[in-house]
Amino acid sequence: MHTVVERELELKLVLSPERSIPVAARLSYRTEDPYAVHITFHIGSDHPVNWTFARELLVEGVFRPCGHGDVRVWPTKVAGRGVVLMALSSPDGDALLEAPATQVTAWLERTLKAVPPGSEADRLGIDAGLAELLAPSPKLSPSLDQGGTPSPDDLWLRDPWPSDESADGE
């Protein structure tokens, strides 16, 4: 079963030290994608803007500056209240967003309860997938082993390039 942890909140798009505009946003976390957080910005257009980055980056950014390149996150105080700043960079432009630290932290705590740090890989099912890939291939149907007509499944299981060690010396 997969869980989704979401939070609607109002961010501020910082235009200058004296000016910002409100931007509605949704924070999303899905347990089937346990390493990532998703932020959707509703900027009054037909197509919201979506960003995805590492949950660990946001968790660390609540406490200290972190990140480089396209996503940087750091805590600070504005007018005596705690905020988390997110600097986002893309070929389309740059944005500095201010989020209320208490709301971001509360949402992050819910994500950490859903998938505790260090247990993300367990959610991906990598071990089960590898075991399936590395399992011995299934046997051909008895009809093919006895020289009969192959079933459709047998055609997929057969090696299209027989080995160089043919039994009849070809």
Side-chain angles (χ1 to χ4, degrees), residues 11 27 37 39 41 51-76 83-89 95-101 104-105 107-108:
L11 304 179
L27 299 173
V37 294
I39 302 178
F41 302 103
W51 276 79
T52 301
F53 54 89
R55 175 176 73 162
E56 185 178 330
L57 183 65
L58 191 55
V59 169
E60 186 177 339
V62 167
F63 298 103
R64 69 188 131 279
C66 65
H68 60 282
D70 295 344
V71 180
R72 292 174 292 131
V73 183
W74 67 97
T76 193
V83 297
V84 176
L85 293 175
M86 293 177 278
L88 307 176
S89 242
L96 178 61
L97 294 146
E98 179 185 303
V104 172
T105 301
W107 175 78
L108 278 171

mmCIF file of all heavy atoms in Angstrom, residues 11 27 37 39 41 51-76 83-89 95-101 104-105 107-108:
data_model
loop_
_atom_site.group_PDB
_atom_site.id
_atom_site.type_symbol
_atom_site.label_atom_id
_atom_site.label_comp_id
_atom_site.label_asym_id
_atom_site.label_seq_id
_atom_site.Cartn_x
_atom_site.Cartn_y
_atom_site.Cartn_z
ATOM 1 N N LEU A 11 3.265 30.143 -0.148
ATOM 2 C CA LEU A 11 4.656 30.569 -0.146
ATOM 3 C C LEU A 11 4.711 32.016 -0.598
ATOM 4 O O LEU A 11 3.720 32.560 -1.099
ATOM 5 C CB LEU A 11 5.473 29.710 -1.114
ATOM 6 C CG LEU A 11 5.446 28.201 -0.906
ATOM 7 C CD1 LEU A 11 6.285 27.514 -1.960
ATOM 8 C CD2 LEU A 11 5.925 27.835 0.473
ATOM 9 N N LEU A 27 2.832 20.749 -1.207
ATOM 10 C CA LEU A 27 3.936 19.837 -0.936
ATOM 11 C C LEU A 27 3.380 18.420 -1.009
ATOM 12 O O LEU A 27 2.333 18.145 -0.423
ATOM 13 C CB LEU A 27 4.519 20.082 0.460
ATOM 14 C CG LEU A 27 5.106 21.461 0.743
ATOM 15 C CD1 LEU A 27 5.468 21.581 2.217
ATOM 16 C CD2 LEU A 27 6.327 21.701 -0.114
ATOM 17 N N VAL A 37 10.673 14.674 -2.784
ATOM 18 C CA VAL A 37 9.541 15.529 -2.427
ATOM 19 C C VAL A 37 9.141 16.271 -3.695
ATOM 20 O O VAL A 37 9.965 16.518 -4.574
ATOM 21 C CB VAL A 37 9.855 16.520 -1.286
ATOM 22 C CG1 VAL A 37 10.115 15.786 0.011
ATOM 23 C CG2 VAL A 37 11.012 17.430 -1.624
ATOM 24 N N ILE A 39 6.930 19.646 -5.192
ATOM 25 C CA ILE A 39 6.266 20.911 -4.901
ATOM 26 C C ILE A 39 5.598 21.380 -6.189
ATOM 27 O O ILE A 39 6.238 21.450 -7.237
ATOM 28 C CB ILE A 39 7.247 21.984 -4.400
ATOM 29 C CG1 ILE A 39 7.981 21.508 -3.149
ATOM 30 C CG2 ILE A 39 6.504 23.282 -4.102
ATOM 31 C CD1 ILE A 39 9.004 22.489 -2.624
ATOM 32 N N PHE A 41 3.552 24.508 -7.768
ATOM 33 C CA PHE A 41 3.231 25.920 -7.590
ATOM 34 C C PHE A 41 2.068 26.266 -8.503
ATOM 35 O O PHE A 41 2.131 26.044 -9.710
ATOM 36 C CB PHE A 41 4.437 26.797 -7.950
ATOM 37 C CG PHE A 41 5.649 26.485 -7.130
ATOM 38 C CD1 PHE A 41 6.691 25.749 -7.683
ATOM 39 C CD2 PHE A 41 5.747 26.892 -5.826
ATOM 40 C CE1 PHE A 41 7.814 25.442 -6.939
ATOM 41 C CE2 PHE A 41 6.872 26.579 -5.064
ATOM 42 C CZ PHE A 41 7.901 25.861 -5.622
ATOM 43 N N TRP A 51 8.188 20.949 -9.217
ATOM 44 C CA TRP A 51 9.602 20.719 -8.900
ATOM 45 C C TRP A 51 9.685 19.447 -8.073
ATOM 46 O O TRP A 51 8.850 19.203 -7.200
ATOM 47 C CB TRP A 51 10.181 21.881 -8.091
ATOM 48 C CG TRP A 51 10.638 22.999 -8.955
ATOM 49 C CD1 TRP A 51 9.865 23.960 -9.545
ATOM 50 C CD2 TRP A 51 11.975 23.257 -9.358
ATOM 51 N NE1 TRP A 51 10.651 24.796 -10.279
ATOM 52 C CE2 TRP A 51 11.948 24.399 -10.182
ATOM 53 C CE3 TRP A 51 13.193 22.648 -9.099
ATOM 54 C CZ2 TRP A 51 13.099 24.936 -10.746
ATOM 55 C CZ3 TRP A 51 14.336 23.177 -9.662
ATOM 56 C CH2 TRP A 51 14.279 24.314 -10.482
ATOM 57 N N THR A 52 10.718 18.662 -8.323
ATOM 58 C CA THR A 52 10.983 17.452 -7.556
ATOM 59 C C THR A 52 12.447 17.470 -7.156
ATOM 60 O O THR A 52 13.309 17.750 -7.985
ATOM 61 C CB THR A 52 10.701 16.198 -8.409
ATOM 62 O OG1 THR A 52 9.335 16.218 -8.826
ATOM 63 C CG2 THR A 52 10.962 14.928 -7.627
ATOM 64 N N PHE A 53 12.695 17.216 -5.883
ATOM 65 C CA PHE A 53 14.074 17.114 -5.418
ATOM 66 C C PHE A 53 14.134 16.227 -4.192
ATOM 67 O O PHE A 53 13.108 15.759 -3.693
ATOM 68 C CB PHE A 53 14.717 18.489 -5.180
ATOM 69 C CG PHE A 53 13.956 19.405 -4.263
ATOM 70 C CD1 PHE A 53 14.170 19.400 -2.901
ATOM 71 C CD2 PHE A 53 13.032 20.313 -4.782
ATOM 72 C CE1 PHE A 53 13.487 20.267 -2.062
ATOM 73 C CE2 PHE A 53 12.352 21.181 -3.957
ATOM 74 C CZ PHE A 53 12.568 21.150 -2.595
ATOM 75 N N ALA A 54 15.328 15.960 -3.711
ATOM 76 C CA ALA A 54 15.539 15.000 -2.623
ATOM 77 C C ALA A 54 14.903 15.472 -1.319
ATOM 78 O O ALA A 54 15.070 16.611 -0.908
ATOM 79 C CB ALA A 54 17.030 14.772 -2.403
ATOM 80 N N ARG A 55 14.180 14.556 -0.680
ATOM 81 C CA ARG A 55 13.592 14.857 0.637
ATOM 82 C C ARG A 55 14.696 15.225 1.614
ATOM 83 O O ARG A 55 14.550 16.148 2.415
ATOM 84 C CB ARG A 55 12.798 13.650 1.136
ATOM 85 C CG ARG A 55 12.267 13.849 2.549
ATOM 86 C CD ARG A 55 11.404 12.714 3.034
ATOM 87 N NE ARG A 55 12.160 11.528 3.349
ATOM 88 C CZ ARG A 55 11.696 10.531 4.093
ATOM 89 N NH1 ARG A 55 10.465 10.575 4.579
ATOM 90 N NH2 ARG A 55 12.437 9.479 4.323
ATOM 91 N N GLU A 56 15.808 14.519 1.538
ATOM 92 C CA GLU A 56 16.932 14.772 2.441
ATOM 93 C C GLU A 56 17.411 16.222 2.348
ATOM 94 O O GLU A 56 17.807 16.828 3.348
ATOM 95 C CB GLU A 56 18.061 13.813 2.099
ATOM 96 C CG GLU A 56 19.246 13.889 3.028
ATOM 97 C CD GLU A 56 20.304 12.866 2.655
ATOM 98 O OE1 GLU A 56 19.977 11.797 2.121
ATOM 99 O OE2 GLU A 56 21.487 13.153 2.914
ATOM 100 N N LEU A 57 17.369 16.790 1.168
ATOM 101 C CA LEU A 57 17.771 18.181 0.964
ATOM 102 C C LEU A 57 16.858 19.128 1.746
ATOM 103 O O LEU A 57 17.327 20.055 2.409
ATOM 104 C CB LEU A 57 17.748 18.512 -0.530
ATOM 105 C CG LEU A 57 18.200 19.894 -0.950
ATOM 106 C CD1 LEU A 57 19.681 20.103 -0.653
ATOM 107 C CD2 LEU A 57 17.941 20.101 -2.434
ATOM 108 N N LEU A 58 15.570 18.894 1.693
ATOM 109 C CA LEU A 58 14.628 19.747 2.425
ATOM 110 C C LEU A 58 14.747 19.530 3.932
ATOM 111 O O LEU A 58 14.710 20.491 4.705
ATOM 112 C CB LEU A 58 13.197 19.490 1.948
ATOM 113 C CG LEU A 58 12.133 20.464 2.411
ATOM 114 C CD1 LEU A 58 12.483 21.907 2.061
ATOM 115 C CD2 LEU A 58 10.773 20.094 1.813
ATOM 116 N N VAL A 59 14.925 18.273 4.345
ATOM 117 C CA VAL A 59 15.098 17.984 5.780
ATOM 118 C C VAL A 59 16.318 18.719 6.319
ATOM 119 O O VAL A 59 16.259 19.375 7.365
ATOM 120 C CB VAL A 59 15.213 16.458 6.031
ATOM 121 C CG1 VAL A 59 15.668 16.181 7.458
ATOM 122 C CG2 VAL A 59 13.891 15.768 5.734
ATOM 123 N N GLU A 60 17.429 18.631 5.618
ATOM 124 C CA GLU A 60 18.642 19.320 6.065
ATOM 125 C C GLU A 60 18.482 20.834 5.986
ATOM 126 O O GLU A 60 18.931 21.565 6.862
ATOM 127 C CB GLU A 60 19.849 18.876 5.235
ATOM 128 C CG GLU A 60 21.155 19.437 5.753
ATOM 129 C CD GLU A 60 22.371 18.955 4.992
ATOM 130 O OE1 GLU A 60 22.300 17.901 4.324
ATOM 131 O OE2 GLU A 60 23.401 19.645 5.078
ATOM 132 N N GLY A 61 17.816 21.311 4.930
ATOM 133 C CA GLY A 61 17.658 22.748 4.729
ATOM 134 C C GLY A 61 16.820 23.449 5.771
ATOM 135 O O GLY A 61 16.889 24.674 5.915
ATOM 136 N N VAL A 62 16.038 22.707 6.527
ATOM 137 C CA VAL A 62 15.269 23.288 7.626
ATOM 138 C C VAL A 62 16.216 23.702 8.763
ATOM 139 O O VAL A 62 15.919 24.621 9.524
ATOM 140 C CB VAL A 62 14.201 22.281 8.121
ATOM 141 C CG1 VAL A 62 13.589 22.696 9.441
ATOM 142 C CG2 VAL A 62 13.116 22.106 7.070
ATOM 143 N N PHE A 63 17.375 23.046 8.845
ATOM 144 C CA PHE A 63 18.317 23.301 9.942
ATOM 145 C C PHE A 63 19.549 24.105 9.542
ATOM 146 O O PHE A 63 20.103 24.840 10.356
ATOM 147 C CB PHE A 63 18.787 21.964 10.546
ATOM 148 C CG PHE A 63 17.675 21.172 11.130
ATOM 149 C CD1 PHE A 63 17.150 20.078 10.458
ATOM 150 C CD2 PHE A 63 17.124 21.528 12.351
ATOM 151 C CE1 PHE A 63 16.109 19.351 10.988
ATOM 152 C CE2 PHE A 63 16.082 20.805 12.906
ATOM 153 C CZ PHE A 63 15.567 19.716 12.215
ATOM 154 N N ARG A 64 20.009 23.938 8.280
ATOM 155 C CA ARG A 64 21.251 24.596 7.858
ATOM 156 C C ARG A 64 21.263 24.738 6.339
ATOM 157 O O ARG A 64 20.607 23.975 5.644
ATOM 158 C CB ARG A 64 22.468 23.825 8.353
ATOM 159 C CG ARG A 64 22.689 22.495 7.708
ATOM 160 C CD ARG A 64 23.805 21.694 8.375
ATOM 161 N NE ARG A 64 23.407 20.333 8.672
ATOM 162 C CZ ARG A 64 22.694 19.915 9.700
ATOM 163 N NH1 ARG A 64 22.258 20.767 10.581
ATOM 164 N NH2 ARG A 64 22.395 18.656 9.885
ATOM 165 N N PRO A 65 22.033 25.669 5.823
ATOM 166 C CA PRO A 65 22.105 25.829 4.365
ATOM 167 C C PRO A 65 22.628 24.556 3.697
ATOM 168 O O PRO A 65 23.567 23.933 4.187
ATOM 169 C CB PRO A 65 23.095 26.983 4.177
ATOM 170 C CG PRO A 65 23.090 27.714 5.480
ATOM 171 C CD PRO A 65 22.829 26.677 6.537
ATOM 172 N N CYS A 66 21.989 24.181 2.598
ATOM 173 C CA CYS A 66 22.431 22.994 1.875
ATOM 174 C C CYS A 66 22.000 23.095 0.417
ATOM 175 O O CYS A 66 21.209 23.952 0.043
ATOM 176 C CB CYS A 66 21.883 21.719 2.513
ATOM 177 S SG CYS A 66 20.108 21.584 2.420
ATOM 178 N N GLY A 67 22.555 22.208 -0.370
ATOM 179 C CA GLY A 67 22.235 22.149 -1.785
ATOM 180 C C GLY A 67 23.191 22.997 -2.598
ATOM 181 O O GLY A 67 23.922 23.832 -2.067
ATOM 182 N N HIS A 68 23.181 22.728 -3.882
ATOM 183 C CA HIS A 68 23.951 23.514 -4.833
ATOM 184 C C HIS A 68 23.337 23.273 -6.200
ATOM 185 O O HIS A 68 22.569 22.342 -6.404
ATOM 186 C CB HIS A 68 25.437 23.144 -4.800
ATOM 187 C CG HIS A 68 25.709 21.722 -5.124
ATOM 188 N ND1 HIS A 68 25.516 20.693 -4.222
ATOM 189 C CD2 HIS A 68 26.123 21.129 -6.265
ATOM 190 C CE1 HIS A 68 25.823 19.545 -4.792
ATOM 191 N NE2 HIS A 68 26.185 19.770 -6.038
ATOM 192 N N GLY A 69 23.636 24.124 -7.121
ATOM 193 C CA GLY A 69 23.061 23.943 -8.452
ATOM 194 C C GLY A 69 21.630 24.425 -8.512
ATOM 195 O O GLY A 69 21.319 25.533 -8.093
ATOM 196 N N ASP A 70 20.726 23.551 -8.969
ATOM 197 C CA ASP A 70 19.343 23.943 -9.223
ATOM 198 C C ASP A 70 18.508 24.184 -7.978
ATOM 199 O O ASP A 70 17.530 24.924 -8.025
ATOM 200 C CB ASP A 70 18.638 22.876 -10.068
ATOM 201 C CG ASP A 70 19.223 22.753 -11.456
ATOM 202 O OD1 ASP A 70 19.951 23.678 -11.871
ATOM 203 O OD2 ASP A 70 18.956 21.748 -12.121
ATOM 204 N N VAL A 71 18.846 23.529 -6.878
ATOM 205 C CA VAL A 71 18.045 23.657 -5.657
ATOM 206 C C VAL A 71 18.963 23.922 -4.469
ATOM 207 O O VAL A 71 19.873 23.155 -4.190
ATOM 208 C CB VAL A 71 17.213 22.372 -5.388
ATOM 209 C CG1 VAL A 71 16.391 22.535 -4.113
ATOM 210 C CG2 VAL A 71 16.318 22.040 -6.573
ATOM 211 N N ARG A 72 18.693 25.033 -3.805
ATOM 212 C CA ARG A 72 19.398 25.367 -2.559
ATOM 213 C C ARG A 72 18.349 25.720 -1.519
ATOM 214 O O ARG A 72 17.362 26.397 -1.827
ATOM 215 C CB ARG A 72 20.363 26.522 -2.769
ATOM 216 C CG ARG A 72 21.541 26.137 -3.668
ATOM 217 C CD ARG A 72 22.453 27.297 -4.009
ATOM 218 N NE ARG A 72 21.733 28.232 -4.867
ATOM 219 C CZ ARG A 72 21.669 29.549 -4.667
ATOM 220 N NH1 ARG A 72 22.281 30.095 -3.664
ATOM 221 N NH2 ARG A 72 20.981 30.317 -5.488
ATOM 222 N N VAL A 73 18.555 25.274 -0.280
ATOM 223 C CA VAL A 73 17.576 25.466 0.787
ATOM 224 C C VAL A 73 18.314 25.911 2.037
ATOM 225 O O VAL A 73 19.389 25.393 2.347
ATOM 226 C CB VAL A 73 16.814 24.143 1.073
ATOM 227 C CG1 VAL A 73 15.737 24.351 2.126
ATOM 228 C CG2 VAL A 73 16.212 23.564 -0.206
ATOM 229 N N TRP A 74 17.727 26.881 2.772
ATOM 230 C CA TRP A 74 18.333 27.302 4.025
ATOM 231 C C TRP A 74 17.288 27.964 4.915
ATOM 232 O O TRP A 74 16.320 28.539 4.450
ATOM 233 C CB TRP A 74 19.516 28.239 3.787
ATOM 234 C CG TRP A 74 19.192 29.576 3.199
ATOM 235 C CD1 TRP A 74 19.020 30.753 3.868
ATOM 236 C CD2 TRP A 74 19.020 29.895 1.804
ATOM 237 N NE1 TRP A 74 18.756 31.772 2.978
ATOM 238 C CE2 TRP A 74 18.749 31.266 1.710
ATOM 239 C CE3 TRP A 74 19.074 29.134 0.636
ATOM 240 C CZ2 TRP A 74 18.515 31.905 0.495
ATOM 241 C CZ3 TRP A 74 18.839 29.766 -0.572
ATOM 242 C CH2 TRP A 74 18.580 31.136 -0.640
ATOM 243 N N PRO A 75 17.512 27.862 6.248
ATOM 244 C CA PRO A 75 16.599 28.504 7.198
ATOM 245 C C PRO A 75 17.048 29.938 7.482
ATOM 246 O O PRO A 75 18.232 30.272 7.359
ATOM 247 C CB PRO A 75 16.757 27.638 8.449
ATOM 248 C CG PRO A 75 18.197 27.202 8.395
ATOM 249 C CD PRO A 75 18.515 27.031 6.915
ATOM 250 N N THR A 76 16.103 30.771 7.838
ATOM 251 C CA THR A 76 16.422 32.140 8.255
ATOM 252 C C THR A 76 15.232 32.697 9.027
ATOM 253 O O THR A 76 14.223 32.009 9.217
ATOM 254 C CB THR A 76 16.787 33.032 7.037
ATOM 255 O OG1 THR A 76 17.373 34.237 7.516
ATOM 256 C CG2 THR A 76 15.588 33.331 6.174
ATOM 257 N N VAL A 83 11.554 30.996 8.724
ATOM 258 C CA VAL A 83 11.156 30.635 7.364
ATOM 259 C C VAL A 83 12.234 29.745 6.751
ATOM 260 O O VAL A 83 13.374 29.723 7.214
ATOM 261 C CB VAL A 83 10.919 31.871 6.462
ATOM 262 C CG1 VAL A 83 9.760 32.714 6.980
ATOM 263 C CG2 VAL A 83 12.162 32.688 6.288
ATOM 264 N N VAL A 84 11.837 29.031 5.726
ATOM 265 C CA VAL A 84 12.763 28.227 4.937
ATOM 266 C C VAL A 84 12.784 28.859 3.555
ATOM 267 O O VAL A 84 11.735 29.045 2.936
ATOM 268 C CB VAL A 84 12.302 26.754 4.857
ATOM 269 C CG1 VAL A 84 13.223 25.951 3.958
ATOM 270 C CG2 VAL A 84 12.221 26.139 6.235
ATOM 271 N N LEU A 85 13.971 29.210 3.101
ATOM 272 C CA LEU A 85 14.122 29.779 1.766
ATOM 273 C C LEU A 85 14.557 28.681 0.804
ATOM 274 O O LEU A 85 15.397 27.839 1.139
ATOM 275 C CB LEU A 85 15.141 30.912 1.768
ATOM 276 C CG LEU A 85 14.731 32.162 2.549
ATOM 277 C CD1 LEU A 85 15.869 33.170 2.593
ATOM 278 C CD2 LEU A 85 13.497 32.797 1.927
ATOM 279 N N MET A 86 13.962 28.709 -0.381
ATOM 280 C CA MET A 86 14.309 27.755 -1.435
ATOM 281 C C MET A 86 14.667 28.554 -2.679
ATOM 282 O O MET A 86 13.834 29.306 -3.187
ATOM 283 C CB MET A 86 13.141 26.824 -1.730
ATOM 284 C CG MET A 86 12.808 25.887 -0.603
ATOM 285 S SD MET A 86 11.355 24.864 -0.961
ATOM 286 C CE MET A 86 10.060 26.012 -0.540
ATOM 287 N N ALA A 87 15.892 28.393 -3.137
ATOM 288 C CA ALA A 87 16.326 29.032 -4.374
ATOM 289 C C ALA A 87 16.294 27.967 -5.457
ATOM 290 O O ALA A 87 16.989 26.955 -5.374
ATOM 291 C CB ALA A 87 17.724 29.607 -4.218
ATOM 292 N N LEU A 88 15.453 28.196 -6.463
ATOM 293 C CA LEU A 88 15.277 27.233 -7.550
ATOM 294 C C LEU A 88 15.765 27.862 -8.842
ATOM 295 O O LEU A 88 15.449 29.012 -9.138
ATOM 296 C CB LEU A 88 13.801 26.848 -7.684
ATOM 297 C CG LEU A 88 13.112 26.355 -6.406
ATOM 298 C CD1 LEU A 88 11.632 26.095 -6.669
ATOM 299 C CD2 LEU A 88 13.788 25.108 -5.874
ATOM 300 N N SER A 89 16.524 27.094 -9.592
ATOM 301 C CA SER A 89 17.100 27.583 -10.841
ATOM 302 C C SER A 89 16.769 26.624 -11.968
ATOM 303 O O SER A 89 16.892 25.411 -11.796
ATOM 304 C CB SER A 89 18.615 27.622 -10.700
ATOM 305 O OG SER A 89 19.090 28.894 -10.839
ATOM 306 N N ALA A 95 14.018 31.457 -9.101
ATOM 307 C CA ALA A 95 13.004 31.892 -8.150
ATOM 308 C C ALA A 95 13.542 31.708 -6.743
ATOM 309 O O ALA A 95 14.231 30.736 -6.448
ATOM 310 C CB ALA A 95 11.727 31.092 -8.331
ATOM 311 N N LEU A 96 13.221 32.666 -5.887
ATOM 312 C CA LEU A 96 13.513 32.558 -4.464
ATOM 313 C C LEU A 96 12.165 32.514 -3.761
ATOM 314 O O LEU A 96 11.358 33.436 -3.887
ATOM 315 C CB LEU A 96 14.339 33.752 -3.974
ATOM 316 C CG LEU A 96 14.659 33.751 -2.479
ATOM 317 C CD1 LEU A 96 15.479 32.514 -2.085
ATOM 318 C CD2 LEU A 96 15.401 35.028 -2.095
ATOM 319 N N LEU A 97 11.931 31.412 -3.053
ATOM 320 C CA LEU A 97 10.649 31.210 -2.384
ATOM 321 C C LEU A 97 10.849 31.135 -0.882
ATOM 322 O O LEU A 97 11.815 30.543 -0.398
ATOM 323 C CB LEU A 97 9.995 29.936 -2.891
ATOM 324 C CG LEU A 97 9.615 30.031 -4.363
ATOM 325 C CD1 LEU A 97 9.764 28.700 -5.051
ATOM 326 C CD2 LEU A 97 8.216 30.571 -4.495
ATOM 327 N N GLU A 98 9.906 31.712 -0.171
ATOM 328 C CA GLU A 98 9.932 31.732 1.284
ATOM 329 C C GLU A 98 8.748 30.915 1.784
ATOM 330 O O GLU A 98 7.604 31.159 1.396
ATOM 331 C CB GLU A 98 9.808 33.184 1.743
ATOM 332 C CG GLU A 98 9.788 33.406 3.218
ATOM 333 C CD GLU A 98 9.539 34.879 3.533
ATOM 334 O OE1 GLU A 98 10.316 35.727 3.060
ATOM 335 O OE2 GLU A 98 8.555 35.159 4.246
ATOM 336 N N ALA A 99 9.046 29.926 2.644
ATOM 337 C CA ALA A 99 8.004 29.058 3.191
ATOM 338 C C ALA A 99 8.011 29.143 4.704
ATOM 339 O O ALA A 99 9.080 29.250 5.322
ATOM 340 C CB ALA A 99 8.251 27.617 2.760
ATOM 341 N N PRO A 100 6.840 29.095 5.338
ATOM 342 C CA PRO A 100 6.784 29.105 6.806
ATOM 343 C C PRO A 100 7.449 27.846 7.376
ATOM 344 O O PRO A 100 7.048 26.730 7.037
ATOM 345 C CB PRO A 100 5.294 29.136 7.124
ATOM 346 C CG PRO A 100 4.568 29.209 5.826
ATOM 347 C CD PRO A 100 5.534 28.997 4.729
ATOM 348 N N ALA A 101 8.455 28.029 8.193
ATOM 349 C CA ALA A 101 9.226 26.893 8.712
ATOM 350 C C ALA A 101 8.364 25.919 9.506
ATOM 351 O O ALA A 101 8.541 24.702 9.381
ATOM 352 C CB ALA A 101 10.386 27.396 9.571
ATOM 353 N N VAL A 104 6.358 23.693 7.035
ATOM 354 C CA VAL A 104 7.236 22.775 6.305
ATOM 355 C C VAL A 104 7.740 21.681 7.246
ATOM 356 O O VAL A 104 7.739 20.497 6.901
ATOM 357 C CB VAL A 104 8.408 23.529 5.645
ATOM 358 C CG1 VAL A 104 9.427 22.561 5.054
ATOM 359 C CG2 VAL A 104 7.893 24.486 4.579
ATOM 360 N N THR A 105 8.142 22.052 8.440
ATOM 361 C CA THR A 105 8.663 21.084 9.409
ATOM 362 C C THR A 105 7.588 20.073 9.810
ATOM 363 O O THR A 105 7.863 18.868 9.887
ATOM 364 C CB THR A 105 9.210 21.814 10.653
ATOM 365 O OG1 THR A 105 10.238 22.713 10.228
ATOM 366 C CG2 THR A 105 9.776 20.851 11.671
ATOM 367 N N TRP A 107 5.006 19.117 8.067
ATOM 368 C CA TRP A 107 4.783 18.230 6.919
ATOM 369 C C TRP A 107 5.930 17.229 6.780
ATOM 370 O O TRP A 107 5.698 16.041 6.546
ATOM 371 C CB TRP A 107 4.621 19.070 5.645
ATOM 372 C CG TRP A 107 4.503 18.252 4.415
ATOM 373 C CD1 TRP A 107 3.406 17.578 3.978
ATOM 374 C CD2 TRP A 107 5.545 17.994 3.464
ATOM 375 N NE1 TRP A 107 3.704 16.923 2.796
ATOM 376 C CE2 TRP A 107 5.002 17.162 2.462
ATOM 377 C CE3 TRP A 107 6.870 18.397 3.356
ATOM 378 C CZ2 TRP A 107 5.744 16.725 1.376
ATOM 379 C CZ3 TRP A 107 7.608 17.960 2.274
ATOM 380 C CH2 TRP A 107 7.051 17.130 1.300
ATOM 381 N N LEU A 108 7.165 17.700 6.923
ATOM 382 C CA LEU A 108 8.317 16.800 6.840
ATOM 383 C C LEU A 108 8.257 15.715 7.911
ATOM 384 O O LEU A 108 8.592 14.555 7.644
ATOM 385 C CB LEU A 108 9.625 17.584 6.969
ATOM 386 C CG LEU A 108 10.120 18.250 5.706
ATOM 387 C CD1 LEU A 108 11.293 19.168 6.012
ATOM 388 C CD2 LEU A 108 10.491 17.224 4.641
#
